[in-house]
Amino acid sequence: MAAEKERNGLENYSFSGVDNFCEMPDADNGEVLDSTNEERMNKLVYCVTDVPPWYMCIILGTQHYLTAFGGIIGIPLILFRALCLEHDSLTQSHLISTIFFVSGICTLLQVMFGVRLPILQGGTFSFLAPSLAVMSMPKWKCPAWTHNASLVNTSSPEYIEVWQSRIRELQGSIMVASCFQIFVGFSGLIGLLMKFIGPLTIAPTISLIGLSLFESAGNDAGIHWGISSMTTVLIILFSQYLRHIPVPLPAYSKTKKFHISRIYVFQILPVLLGITFSWLICYILTEYNILPSEPGMYGYLARTDMKGDVLGRAPWFRFPYPGQWGVPTVSPAGVFGILAGVISSMIESVGDYHACARLSGAPPPPKHAINRGVGIEGIGCLLAGIWGTGNGTTSYSENVGALGITKVGSRVVIVTSGILMIVMGTFGKIGAIFTTIPTPVIGGMFLVMFGVISAAGVANLQYADMNSSRNLFIFGFSMFSGLVIPNWINKHPMAIETGVIELDSVLRVLLTTSMFVGGFFGFILDNTIPGSNQERGTIAWKDAHHEDPELL
């Protein structure tokens, strides 16, 4: 434990009666490890209640901000096309700034009033699939002229109403659906919900989030396969092959003064480094006119000077405010679609709470802390809807993993990260910079990111008996149905005609949301087809997540 750190003196009412969190529990039995080399390796530098020096808070908080960068920025980049903002870089920058701003607010709420663990909040991919399903309805499909840059006048009232009407629809749906999460969290119903959900429900639901976005990834990567492949290779190189190689960097401490410290940079920031290097290469290829300069030619969209004017037009300071896009609208189709994402997000977060507690040296969170955390996440989604990010918020697994890498479990560090996100979200130029990332670079990032999301879902099957024909049938049927049914409905949107327009809209959104279809079949089949808890994997799954028996 560092000599210069100090206790913050605040009462931790989430984990009352526990004085020292610095001994990391063993993953198997929750007991403190003996004084061995393994214990020393797992020793936390800063515990959950510790306050590092201010400069360390800024450095470590920035690191968490950058770790979440790839996931947070990836969400608006996918939504832009569905919101008809493909050729409006300035508005794109405003949306990016808004999602960072709201993520910072939600992080502060979660750490200070929610589960009170060092867990960062950010946009969720669980909301992407239903959001895209809503925007793919005939009513919300973008007019053909919005796909032609020469026909788009970003300042015209007609164009502004086109994209604002679409984001207002998402806003209203997210706000109403988030009320369900608030109710489930603060009422304690999350325990009842978790009793019926196991690996065979989670696996297809999470996997189909990534698999359903393959078209978006392919379209962006296909703009220039050379650039996108380079981005993918760099991210793989940094995250897999170089992650255990430390990089010597200058550092300072009161005891050692200025010195060289070895930091696992590649393990902490593989996505950011991969994007930055590819971005730089695209800039060089643009400066030397190696990339085509004529619109319409293959590779033109890989140039970095396409949106160069956005930096000049973006304001230095812009404060996102509630209702900035107008009064939200609500439709049953949008609400029911987003609800599928809300349920998925809640289930993921419960697992994240337990992982975060273990990695930050805290005991497993009690029932009331989990309920409060889920409820605060619902409030976060409500705020995201009010501000108009086009998305919700959830706990970030990437940053939970960063706790284990850095051995820093201090809540104050995450509070600092939340403040940094709020500050960064108010600087318009920063959001504008992100919009200049070439499209094939984004596509290369998506190839890795969506693949990892899909694999994360499949990983839940390790708890179930996959030698069982019952489990193979449930998973296989759920996955295949989650791909086939949405694909067919998208090609035959008028096939659903019940005579009630509102019901038709709800069914179209739900049946074109892959994660809902796969998760629905997985849930129904897993809870109706006979099978022991051991065969289903529910016992091993809950033990692995250190679930409270009273909660489940």
Side-chain angles (χ1 to χ4, degrees):
M1 190 181 299
E4 66 269 23
K5 67 182 178 181
E6 59 186 29
R7 299 282 178 184
N8 61 7
L10 297 176
E11 179 186 359
N12 186 348
Y13 56 81
S14 291
F15 306 102
S16 57
V18 182
D19 297 319
N20 185 3
F21 300 131
C22 284
E23 303 291 346
M24 293 187 69
D26 184 274
D28 294 325
N29 54 24
E31 297 177 355
V32 176
L33 294 168
D34 295 327
S35 297
T36 60
N37 289 333
E38 184 178 2
E39 178 191 10
R40 287 192 290 272
M41 289 178 64
N42 288 333
K43 188 80 170 181
L44 285 168
V45 179
Y46 293 104
C47 310
V48 67
T49 54
D50 288 335
V51 180
W54 65 269
Y55 56 88
M56 286 301 298
C57 287
I58 294 176
I59 294 172
L60 295 170
T62 302
Q63 177 177 263
H64 274 282
Y65 168 76
L66 295 175
T67 302
F69 165 85
I72 294 177
I73 198 176
I75 291 164
L77 291 175
I78 297 172
L79 283 174
F80 288 154
R81 188 175 287 110
L83 294 173
C84 313
L85 291 172
E86 192 175 357
H87 302 293
D88 188 354
S89 302
L90 186 60
T91 302
Q92 291 178 12
S93 70
H94 295 338
L95 272 176
I96 290 174
S97 297
T98 300
I99 196 169
F100 274 115
F101 182 84
V102 175
S103 296
I105 293 177
C106 296
T107 296
L108 297 183
L109 290 175
Q110 186 65 273
V111 177
M112 297 167 65
F113 305 108
V115 73
R116 297 200 73 206
L117 286 169
I119 190 164
L120 189 135
Q121 305 290 293
T124 170
F125 283 95
S126 298
F127 283 28
L128 266 183
S131 296
L132 294 177
V134 172
M135 292 295 102
S136 67
M137 294 175 62
K139 177 183 178 181
W140 297 115
K141 283 189 176 179
C142 294
W145 58 270
T146 62
H147 298 298
N148 189 333
S150 61
L151 298 178
V152 174
N153 179 6
T154 57
S155 60
S156 70
E158 180 187 7
Y159 174 72
I160 292 175
E161 178 59 25
V162 165
W163 70 263
Q164 285 192 355
S165 63
R166 282 156 177 76
I167 196 168
R168 289 198 299 265
E169 177 73 7
L170 291 182
Q171 280 184 259
S173 300
I174 291 169
M175 290 169 65
V176 175
S178 65
C179 293
F180 173 77
Q181 185 170 3
I182 295 172
F183 173 74
V184 169
F186 289 119
S187 67
L189 286 178
I190 182 66
L192 178 63
L193 181 68
M194 294 292 289
K195 285 181 180 179
F196 299 98
I197 294 176
L200 292 171
T201 302
I202 295 293
T205 302
I206 304 301
S207 296
L208 287 167
I209 293 174
L211 292 177
S212 64
L213 296 170
F214 75 92
E215 188 173 356
S216 177
N219 290 337
D220 289 346
I223 287 174
H224 195 293
W225 280 107
I227 299 296
S228 59
S229 299
M230 175 182 63
T231 306
T232 301
V233 169
L234 285 173
I235 295 176
I236 293 173
L237 178 67
F238 295 147
S239 65
Q240 304 301 320
Y241 294 98
L242 302 180
R243 60 178 175 168
H244 297 307
I245 299 178
V247 177
L249 294 173
Y252 175 82
S253 67
K254 287 185 178 180
T255 54
K256 297 183 179 180
K257 303 300 180 182
F258 288 100
H259 63 283
I260 299 298
S261 178
R262 296 182 177 274
I263 301 175
Y264 293 90
V265 176
F266 299 120
Q267 189 174 22
I268 299 170
L269 306 172
V271 174
L272 182 64
L273 289 173
I275 290 175
T276 302
F277 275 101
S278 297
W279 199 355
L280 177 61
I281 291 174
C282 285
Y283 174 77
I284 295 172
L285 295 178
T286 300
E287 287 296 304
Y288 286 94
N289 280 322
I290 296 175
L291 291 171
S293 57
E294 296 181 14
M297 292 187 65
Y298 182 80
Y300 171 74
L301 294 178
R303 295 181 65 91
T304 57
D305 58 0
M306 285 184 53
K307 304 175 182 177
D309 63 328
V310 69
L311 285 174
R313 291 188 295 127
W316 279 102
F317 179 82
R318 179 183 180 276
F319 189 81
Y321 58 91
Q324 56 188 331
W325 317 127
V327 180
T329 58
V330 180
S331 68
V335 171
F336 280 99
I338 297 296
L339 271 176
V342 166
I343 295 172
S344 174
S345 176
M346 285 191 295
I347 296 166
E348 283 185 277
S349 294
V350 172
D352 288 336
Y353 297 158
H354 288 276
C356 182
R358 186 175 65 83
L359 292 173
S360 62
K367 179 180 178 180
H368 61 83
I370 291 175
N371 292 338
R372 197 169 56 241
V374 172
I376 288 293
E377 283 196 20
I379 293 177
C381 290
L382 179 63
L383 294 178
I386 293 173
W387 255 269
T389 64
N391 196 253
T393 59
T394 190
S395 299
Y396 256 44
S397 303
E398 296 93 331
N399 291 81
V400 173
L403 297 177
I405 297 170
T406 62
K407 306 302 179 189
V408 175
S410 172
R411 280 194 304 240
V412 179
V413 169
I414 302 298
V415 168
T416 305
S417 184
I419 294 172
L420 286 173
M421 286 196 286
I422 292 174
V423 173
M424 295 298 181
T426 60
F427 284 94
K429 297 290 185 185
I430 294 178
I433 290 174
F434 294 144
T435 67
T436 63
I437 302 175
T439 304
V441 173
I442 296 168
M445 175 188 71
F446 286 165
L447 290 178
V448 177
M449 187 175 294
F450 296 159
V452 171
I453 292 173
S454 301
V458 175
N460 286 280
L461 295 177
Q462 65 184 297
Y463 305 113
D465 180 10
M466 294 314 292
N467 289 319
S468 165
S469 59
R470 169 196 184 273
N471 293 349
L472 288 174
F473 167 76
I474 293 173
F475 178 70
F477 179 79
S478 300
M479 286 289 291
F480 199 67
S481 298
L483 294 172
V484 171
I485 295 176
N487 180 66
W488 189 86
I489 297 295
N490 279 322
K491 292 180 178 179
H492 306 84
M494 305 310 295
I496 299 177
E497 293 186 4
T498 62
V500 181
I501 298 177
E502 291 77 11
L503 180 59
D504 291 346
S505 300
V506 170
L507 291 175
R508 284 195 192 101
V509 170
L510 293 179
L511 293 178
T512 53
T513 304
S514 294
M515 59 175 286
F516 169 79
V517 176
F520 174 79
F521 282 122
F523 176 81
I524 296 297
L525 295 175
D526 189 35
N527 284 281
T528 56
I529 297 178
S532 66
N533 288 332
Q534 185 174 2
E535 182 183 14
R536 295 174 60 196
T538 54
I539 296 176
W541 186 69
K542 291 169 184 175
D543 287 344
H545 287 78
H546 303 277
E547 303 293 9
D548 183 352
E550 293 184 4
L551 180 70
L552 301 170

